Amino acid sequence: MSDEPTVETLAQEAVPASEVTSPETPATDPPAPHAPAPDAPASAAPVPDAPAPRPRRRGPGAFTLLVLPSLVTLTTVAGFLALTGGFPDDWSPGESASQDAAGGVNATYGPWLRKSADACTVVTPSVLAAQIDQLTGWSNDSATTSGARGIAAFTTADWKTWGKDDDGNGRSSPNDPADAIMAIGRQDCSLARQVTGLRTDGTVNGELVDLTLAAYAVGTDAVTKAGGVPAAAQTYLTEVKALFGKYEAFDREDTSGGGMQADAILAPPVTTLTITSPYGSRQHPLTGVTKLHTGVDFGAPQGARVSAARAGTVVFAAMTTAYGNRIVVDHGTIEGKRLQTTYSHLSAIDVTAGQSVQTGTPLGRVGSTGLSTGPHLHFEVIYDGYYADPVPWLASTG
């Protein structure tokens, strides 16, 4: 039984002392006024009148139960808004606070990460998510001392270059998570295009994701000067890459290779298209590093002829560290986007930069120069500045 006083007990405690019945008073109805109590001595004092029955206490009314709590809540909210200046700019009614399994990120960010990464093949949703995590920990607080704002830490100057109203809410703001995610994707893909060009002509070496992140951290010029990832970018690169695994769930399979399905508009660069290593992620046979294999390796004997896959202009023909003897041919634009092909590890180069070639023009000979384990042709397709799977572009030799 509870030790809490009952309503009746509290009522009794509230009765004035003058109205309390004497302990000797029987529980039966009291005798008539001023009549001596039965069996009481004649000198006994008369028993006081019994108190009239007290009305039953009523519970709280509808106003107390329904209206008063609402008034208290409204008053509390009004006070909060007065102190904080209102709801945050990126708040919207009904916004879910649910979390995605990938890194505990708000589930509404997932589709924007995927859409942003669709702009190029180098950058994936997990790369973007890891960058944002490293930059701000997904915090959308107000501007820092450096002037950077939003989850992707954009300065005002950078936002003018990369920011747009991507979610169509009528404003472009670095504090809008959707706009910020799309903007950092545009910035990264632009950098990826630049470092792809640098690696294509042999100016820099390294994995494209690493080069892109390094360019984000210290600039493309610093990457160019270093010929790869500069020491100044190494800490940032290490921190971001350590977070990749946390956001892998955001990635999805992309079999397009980033290029359009070209309906076989390229001729075979070697007589027989025997694929010894396809386009896609693989562990490099010499370095042991798992990364994107940016082209297709066609097995061919030492000295076999290598031909131009399409008419165009030779824009690069020289020795490089990783690719060995390498040739790059520019084929102009296809559907408004530039198309290039590359031919690497050659034993000999038979053309010069600036030379025009036709489909089938001899370019050089199969070899094993550069980082290579044996004679083969490493053949690449670069469409709109990004590597694409060459197979859909090639006509079969039958």
Side-chain angles (χ1 to χ4, degrees):
M1 179 177 295
S2 172
D3 293 331
E4 296 290 335
T6 63
V7 173
E8 290 78 4
T9 302
L10 293 174
Q12 290 173 4
E13 292 176 354
V15 177
S18 60
E19 297 183 9
V20 177
T21 305
S22 169
E24 290 80 17
T25 303
T28 56
D29 292 339
H34 310 298
D39 302 324
S43 61
V47 178
D49 293 341
R54 303 191 64 200
R56 182 184 298 273
R57 294 182 63 185
R58 300 180 62 184
F63 178 88
T64 303
L65 290 175
L66 301 177
V67 179
L68 186 58
S70 298
L71 291 176
V72 172
T73 300
L74 289 174
T75 302
T76 302
V77 172
F80 170 81
L81 294 179
L83 290 172
T84 62
F87 292 111
D89 291 340
D90 58 351
W91 183 89
S92 59
E95 181 175 329
S96 173
S98 62
Q99 299 293 307
D100 194 288
V105 176
N106 189 302
T108 61
Y109 296 169
W112 289 108
L113 288 166
R114 296 184 180 97
K115 183 176 180 180
S116 183
D118 278 344
C120 61
T121 57
V122 175
V123 179
T124 64
S126 61
V127 170
L128 294 175
Q131 268 189 282
I132 293 173
D133 192 343
Q134 192 279 340
L135 289 169
T136 67
W138 296 95
S139 173
N140 204 19
D141 292 339
S142 300
T144 62
T145 55
S146 65
R149 294 186 295 152
I151 60 173
F154 273 100
T155 63
T156 300
D158 285 341
W159 188 256
K160 288 180 179 179
T161 302
W162 307 110
K164 293 182 180 179
D165 177 19
D166 287 286
D167 59 3
N169 66 356
R171 66 177 184 178
S172 169
S173 171
N175 290 110
D176 188 321
D179 291 352
I181 291 170
M182 292 299 293
I184 195 172
R186 275 190 291 273
Q187 183 178 12
D188 278 359
C189 285
S190 176
L191 294 171
R193 185 195 303 266
Q194 295 175 47
V195 298
T196 296
L198 292 171
R199 203 179 85 164
T200 296
D201 63 20
T203 303
V204 301
N205 291 314
E207 189 176 352
L208 288 174
V209 172
D210 292 357
L211 295 170
T212 299
L213 292 173
Y216 178 92
V218 298
T220 307
D221 289 345
V223 173
T224 303
K225 183 177 180 180
V229 176
Q234 195 59 57
T235 298
Y236 173 77
L237 186 63
T238 300
E239 291 177 353
V240 173
K241 293 182 72 173
L243 296 168
F244 283 177
K246 183 178 179 181
Y247 298 104
E248 284 180 347
F250 281 133
D251 294 338
R252 67 183 189 280
E253 186 69 17
D254 180 6
T255 57
S256 69
M260 73 173 195
Q261 299 301 301
D263 198 20
I265 67 172
L266 297 179
V270 288
T271 302
T272 303
L273 299 181
T274 303
I275 298 177
T276 57
S277 184
Y279 173 92
S281 179
R282 71 163 190 180
Q283 185 180 58
H284 195 281
L286 292 179
T287 65
V289 176
T290 299
K291 63 179 183 179
L292 175 67
H293 185 222
T294 55
V296 172
D297 289 348
F298 293 119
Q302 179 82 12
R305 190 176 74 174
V306 175
S307 304
R310 185 179 174 89
T313 302
V314 177
V315 293
F316 183 86
M319 171 64 78
T320 67
T321 302
Y323 291 115
N325 286 318
R326 179 172 172 83
I327 296 172
V328 180
V329 179
D330 190 322
H331 304 288
T333 59
I334 305 293
E335 295 187 357
K337 298 178 180 179
R338 185 163 299 281
L339 174 67
Q340 294 178 317
T341 54
T342 76
Y343 312 77
S344 298
H345 304 302
L346 305 176
S347 60
I349 296 176
D350 298 331
V351 293
T352 58
Q355 180 179 335
S356 295
V357 296
Q358 300 300 315
T359 302
T361 297
L363 300 177
R365 301 286 173 173
V366 170
S368 186
T369 56
L371 294 179
S372 171
T373 57
H376 72 284
L377 172 67
H378 177 75
F379 178 72
E380 298 169 333
V381 169
I382 303 172
Y383 184 61
D384 195 30
Y386 305 109
Y387 291 105
D389 185 351
V391 172
W393 295 80
L394 288 166
S396 172
T397 60

